[in-house]
Amino acid sequence: MWRTVLAALLLATASGAGAQEGSRVSRSAIVDLAGQGRYDELADRLAPAAARLPAGELHALCHAYAQTRRYRPLLACLDRLETALRGRDRASILFGLDDATATVPLMRAAALLDLGDAPAAAEQAARARAWFEREGSAGERDLLVEALTLQALAAARQQDGAQAQELMRQIEAIKPGLGAAPNLANART
């Protein structure tokens, strides 16, 4: 009998510890889940701790919501992320961004376009574009392209073909070499 009680206590202790550890998702697990396109699982694993996630993990949660078109939690997540990014830690786990600030209005603009609010989407895309022009780097030109693209789509949805065409010309004028910045691990050695 005492063996049964001891086994039950050990099992309860182990499962309790596992539950606490299981609520914390490692950075590598976040990258793996996103890289495999398992955004529903990523969101489900991060969401229970959303109120206390650091900025990088909160960015991953918002990205997962954006990829799965879960707009209500996405918009709430973006509000929390915007607040978190006002602190010192502005880096993302996904995409290797040192400052994920521009991703908030970009994700919000894409969601607003999907929801049919082109004027608000254009405003959010303009915020991201202004951030890039103020603080962006050559390695983040993909953020500028995304902002311009969202502005062009919003203009087209508002029946402003001339504005959409002008924005497309601006995209085409951006020099090649979009993507992440050079490998910082190699640059630091």
Side-chain angles (χ1 to χ4, degrees):
M1 166 111 167
W2 65 271
R3 287 183 184 165
T4 305
V5 172
L6 182 59
L9 283 173
L10 287 173
L11 182 61
T13 304
S15 65
Q20 288 175 343
E21 291 173 18
S23 66
R24 179 80 178 156
V25 183
S26 72
R27 287 176 169 258
S28 64
I30 290 170
V31 171
D32 288 346
L33 290 168
Q36 296 167 12
R38 294 165 51 195
Y39 296 111
D40 282 319
E41 184 178 345
L42 179 58
D44 291 345
R45 289 184 62 188
L46 289 173
R52 59 187 185 281
L53 290 176
E57 293 175 24
L58 197 51
H59 173 267
L61 175 60
C62 294
H63 180 70
Y65 285 145
Q67 292 300 307
T68 55
R69 305 297 194 254
R70 291 159 77 178
Y71 297 117
R72 195 176 315 272
L74 168 62
L75 295 173
C77 184
L78 291 172
D79 290 341
R80 284 193 305 275
L81 178 57
E82 192 164 32
T83 299
L85 290 171
R86 290 187 188 122
R88 289 183 178 200
D89 180 17
R90 294 189 303 249
S92 69
I93 293 172
L94 304 176
F95 315 118
L97 297 171
D98 291 331
D99 187 345
T101 301
T103 65
V104 173
L106 289 173
M107 284 189 270
R108 194 175 280 134
L112 291 167
L113 266 178
D114 286 352
L115 294 170
D117 192 347
E123 181 181 313
Q124 291 298 312
R127 281 185 56 213
R129 182 179 175 184
W131 176 90
F132 179 84
E133 291 168 354
R134 204 175 47 252
E135 300 183 39
S137 68
E140 298 165 327
R141 284 179 286 196
D142 56 328
L143 298 177
L144 176 59
V145 169
E146 187 172 352
L148 289 167
T149 301
L150 290 165
Q151 283 185 297
L153 289 169
R157 293 216 179 136
Q158 294 177 82
Q159 306 300 316
D160 189 347
Q163 176 68 12
Q165 290 298 318
E166 172 54 30
L167 290 161
M168 293 307 295
R169 278 190 285 283
Q170 291 177 34
I171 292 168
E172 291 168 354
I174 295 173
K175 293 180 182 174
L178 302 178
N183 185 336
L184 294 177
N186 292 335
R188 291 181 182 148
T189 58

